[in-house]
Amino acid sequence: MSGERHEEGCIFCNRLAGDDREHYVLHREPGWYLILNLYPYNSGHLLLVLGRHAARLSDCTPAEPPDMARLLKLMEDVLQEAFRPDGINCGYNGGTSAGAGIPGHLHLHMLPRWSGDTNFMSTIGQTRVMPQTLDQVWERLKPVVDRLAAAPGV
Ligand SMILES: [Zn+2]
């Protein structure tokens, strides 16, 4: 994810405000926002980003983890409906030694997987074949996110 470091400042703080379409933001709440990973391992690779600059789950306020869990469920529901994947990877890299590209700002990854797709680890550092552009993925996911996020109980 070396390309992320060419931008001035924290890329996740830079997207706390601004144009959602331009930055591929799919959903915003006070505590978290949902965005497409600009360097995806697979089409539909989502990031759930904390709405303030803090590094670790252990830095969260008591209110933030419950919202995180609810939004992770929303993300899985969105991926299931939009892409019908065979599986889902979900994870958090705490610190650079754990593989965090942006270690200072807490974010969680979720990506759809298909039987026979490229192994997650083997794709790191290699050119990845993307069947859909970020614009196409955003256009496909945005209405699903909006509808599911507005559903009762979400
Ligand atoms: Zn930040």
Side-chain angles (χ1 to χ4, degrees), residues 94-130:
T96 305
S97 61
I102 309 293
H105 195 134
L106 177 60
H107 58 287
L108 293 94
H109 296 254
M110 184 179 287
L111 61 154
R113 301 299 306 273
W114 286 268
S115 301
D117 69 5
T118 310
N119 179 272
F120 182 84
M121 296 306 293
S122 73
T123 61
I124 293 174
Q126 300 176 12
T127 302
R128 294 180 284 271
V129 177
M130 297 305 301

Side-chain angles (χ1 to χ4, degrees), residues 9-14 16 49-50 52-54 102 104-106:
C10 173
I11 70 154
F12 293 135
C13 286
N14 290 347
L16 287 170
V49 183
L50 187 65
R52 61 190 178 86
H53 193 86
I102 309 293
H105 195 134
L106 177 60

Side-chain angles (χ1 to χ4, degrees), residues 34-104:
L34 175 58
I35 188 170
L36 295 183
N37 190 341
L38 300 184
Y39 304 93
Y41 296 114
N42 235 342
S43 276
H45 185 160
L46 305 178
L47 298 177
L48 182 62
V49 183
L50 187 65
R52 61 190 178 86
H53 193 86
R56 305 291 285 265
L57 285 171
S58 52
D59 298 324
C60 282
T61 67
E64 285 162 348
D67 286 337
M68 178 190 78
R70 175 175 48 81
L71 288 164
L72 287 173
K73 178 189 181 300
L74 171 71
M75 291 158 68
E76 184 176 306
D77 289 344
V78 166
L79 291 178
Q80 287 292 352
E81 177 172 328
F83 291 117
R84 300 279 168 208
D86 298 321
I88 296 275
N89 281 124
C90 179
Y92 151 60
N93 302 322
T96 305
S97 61
I102 309 293

Side-chain angles (χ1 to χ4, degrees), residues 15 19-21 23-29 32-37 44-47 74-75 78-79 83 134-147 149:
R15 284 156 182 75
D19 184 79
D20 289 354
R21 180 71 187 77
H23 295 302
Y24 303 109
V25 172
L26 287 162
H27 181 68
R28 290 185 189 275
E29 294 186 4
W32 300 87
Y33 70 89
L34 175 58
I35 188 170
L36 295 183
N37 190 341
H45 185 160
L46 305 178
L47 298 177
L74 171 71
M75 291 158 68
V78 166
L79 291 178
F83 291 117
L134 288 173
D135 289 302
Q136 289 171 324
V137 172
W138 190 90
E139 299 273 351
R140 184 165 174 180
L141 292 182
K142 180 61 174 162
V144 180
V145 171
D146 286 347
R147 179 166 44 75

